[in-house]
């Protein structure tokens, strides 16, 4: 699939489930193993939640545009918002030694994805790009099928 | 898509059974159910997650509040019946060993 799947939803938390369902269908159709799919869905969900919380500061009627591409070995997701830009150098996962609520979303994204980058080089908002190499996961499923 | 919550009160314990996906849109409902329980004289709070297929960081954050209550009050805050997906999220957060986790709610009540 070189043609990306694009989804645009309002920045209302009630649409997070819709994004997860669409992505689940897409990953299923590409035989992405369930464990990997679950983790990718978690990353996208956390990224969109961060947009709602930080970029749009809780406003529910702003656009979130998600673009999913599976090409070769790569799963790529881009999340575009038009809200408040933040200093991307300050986006860091919190120290896991501290047991406290909050701040885990960025850790999940950095832990699961192979690449995470934020681009604010635009008039409004941020473009988040996350890439995961699927080759090892897809190969293990194919080997299992052969066996 | 929301969550359903059921509270079963025993002598000095309470079991909270949660069903559905816990994300930014639904974790507030779980928090609203759990927070009053921290004020009561509960010795043990068990959260049965057998009906939860998905949990994000906002769900984890809510449960961490329970953990903090437990540490501050010396009472017990236990999790039961985590699905593989929910368990995986706890593992990535490196919290699986921080919580008291049991296979069933019955085991969690006994401790």
């Amino acid at each position: 699939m070189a043609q990306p799947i694009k989804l645009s939803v309002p920045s209302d938390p009630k649409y997070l489930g819709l994004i997860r369902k669409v992505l689940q269908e897409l990953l299923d159709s590409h035989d992405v193993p369930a464990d990997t799919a679950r983790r990718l869905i978690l990353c996208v969900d956390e990224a969109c939640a961060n947009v709602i919380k930080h970029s749009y500061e809780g406003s529910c009627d702003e656009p979130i545009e998600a673009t999913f591409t599976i090409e070769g070995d790569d799963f790529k997701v881009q999340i575009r918002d038009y809200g408040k830009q933040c200093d991307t150098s300050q986006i860091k996962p919190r120290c896991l030694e501290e047991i406290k609520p909050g701040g885990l979303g960025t850790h999940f994204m950095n832990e699961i994805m192979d690449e995470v980058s934020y681009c604010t080089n635009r008039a409004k908002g941020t473009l988040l790009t996350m890439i995961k190499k699927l080759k090892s996961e897809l190969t293990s499923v194919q080997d299992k099928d052969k066996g | 898509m929301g969550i359903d919550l059921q509270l079963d009160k025993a002598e000095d314990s309470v079991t909270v059974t949660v069903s559905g996906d816990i994300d930014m849109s639904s974790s507030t409902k779980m928090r609203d159910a759990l927070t009053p329980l921290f004020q009561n004289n509960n010795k043990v709070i068990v959260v049965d997650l057998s009906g939860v297929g998905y949990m994000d960081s906002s769900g984890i954050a809510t449960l961490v509040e329970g953990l903090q209550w437990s540490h501050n009050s010396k009472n017990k805050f236990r999790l039961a019946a985590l699905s593989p997906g929910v368990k995986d999220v706890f593992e990535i957060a490196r919290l699986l060993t921080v919580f008291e986790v049991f296979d069933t709610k019955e085991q969690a009540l006994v401790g």
Side-chain angles (χ1 to χ4, degrees), chain B residues 45-62:
Chain B
I45 297 174
V46 172
V47 183
D48 179 354
L49 295 168
S50 56
V52 176
Y54 176 82
M55 185 183 295
D56 75 352
S57 64
S58 68
I60 297 255
T62 302

Side-chain angles (χ1 to χ4, degrees), chain A residues 29-100:
Chain A
S29 73
H30 283 266
D31 296 325
V32 175
D35 291 354
T36 305
R38 207 163 47 212
R39 288 179 162 211
L40 296 176
I41 289 166
L42 176 66
C43 289
V44 171
D45 187 67
E46 296 289 353
C48 293
N50 280 344
V51 166
I52 295 170
K53 203 185 304 178
H54 301 296
S55 303
Y56 292 133
E57 298 175 309
S59 174
C60 290
D61 53 1
E62 304 291 340
I64 298 177
E65 296 165 1
T67 305
F68 307 118
T69 312
I70 298 180
E71 193 166 17
D73 300 330
D74 289 348
F75 168 75
K76 180 165 88 170
V77 54
Q78 294 190 297
I79 310 286
R80 176 78 167 100
D81 73 72
Y82 300 87
K84 196 177 86 175
Q85 292 180 331
C86 59
D87 181 356
T88 54
S89 67
Q90 298 301 310
I91 302 174
K92 289 174 187 162
R94 73 164 170 80
C95 174
L96 293 182
E97 300 303 313
E98 302 168 45
I99 309 298
K100 64 176 188 180

Side-chain angles (χ1 to χ4, degrees), chain A residues 13-14 16-18 20-21 35 38-39 41-43 45-46 48-49 52-53 94 96 99-102 104-105 107-108 111-112, chain B residues 1 21-25 53-58 60-62 64-65 67-68 71 84-86 88-89 91-95 98:
Chain A
K14 73 182 179 187
L16 291 173
L18 176 67
R20 294 198 300 272
K21 276 189 176 173
D35 291 354
R38 207 163 47 212
R39 288 179 162 211
I41 289 166
L42 176 66
C43 289
D45 187 67
E46 296 289 353
C48 293
I52 295 170
K53 203 185 304 178
R94 73 164 170 80
L96 293 182
I99 309 298
K100 64 176 188 180
L104 282 171
H107 165 72
F108 290 155
E111 184 85 0
I112 293 166
Chain B
M1 197 190 308
D21 287 354
I22 304 175
D23 66 7
M24 188 189 197
S25 70
Y54 176 82
M55 185 183 295
D56 75 352
S57 64
S58 68
I60 297 255
T62 302
V64 166
E65 289 179 29
L67 190 68
Q68 290 177 329
H71 289 167
V86 171
D88 189 41
V89 177
E91 278 177 353
I92 304 167
R94 294 174 203 152
L95 287 171
V98 176

Side-chain angles (χ1 to χ4, degrees), chain B residues 13-26:
Chain B
S13 68
V14 61
T15 303
V16 183
T17 305
V18 193
S19 306
D21 287 354
I22 304 175
D23 66 7
M24 188 189 197
S25 70
S26 59

Side-chain angles (χ1 to χ4, degrees), chain B:
Chain B
M1 197 190 308
I3 53 170
D4 290 319
L5 292 147
Q6 184 185 320
L7 271 64
D8 294 301
K9 185 87 180 81
E11 203 172 322
D12 55 1
S13 68
V14 61
T15 303
V16 183
T17 305
V18 193
S19 306
D21 287 354
I22 304 175
D23 66 7
M24 188 189 197
S25 70
S26 59
S27 59
T28 310
K29 188 174 174 183
M30 181 168 73
R31 189 169 187 270
D32 290 347
L34 287 175
T35 303
L37 303 179
F38 303 149
Q39 315 301 326
N40 300 340
N41 292 324
N42 294 301
K43 298 278 181 228
V44 182
I45 297 174
V46 172
V47 183
D48 179 354
L49 295 168
S50 56
V52 176
Y54 176 82
M55 185 183 295
D56 75 352
S57 64
S58 68
I60 297 255
T62 302
L63 296 174
V64 166
E65 289 179 29
L67 190 68
Q68 290 177 329
W69 163 79
S70 166
H71 289 167
N72 294 334
S73 65
K74 309 290 181 202
N75 292 320
K76 301 291 185 187
F77 185 80
R78 295 174 176 152
L79 307 180
L82 276 61
S83 67
V86 171
K87 191 176 273 188
D88 189 41
V89 177
F90 274 84
E91 278 177 353
I92 304 167
R94 294 174 203 152
L95 287 171
L96 201 53
T97 54
V98 176
F99 281 90
E100 285 191 86
V101 179
F102 295 82
D103 288 341
T104 66
K105 64 179 175 186
E106 289 79 12
Q107 290 172 354
L109 282 166
V110 175

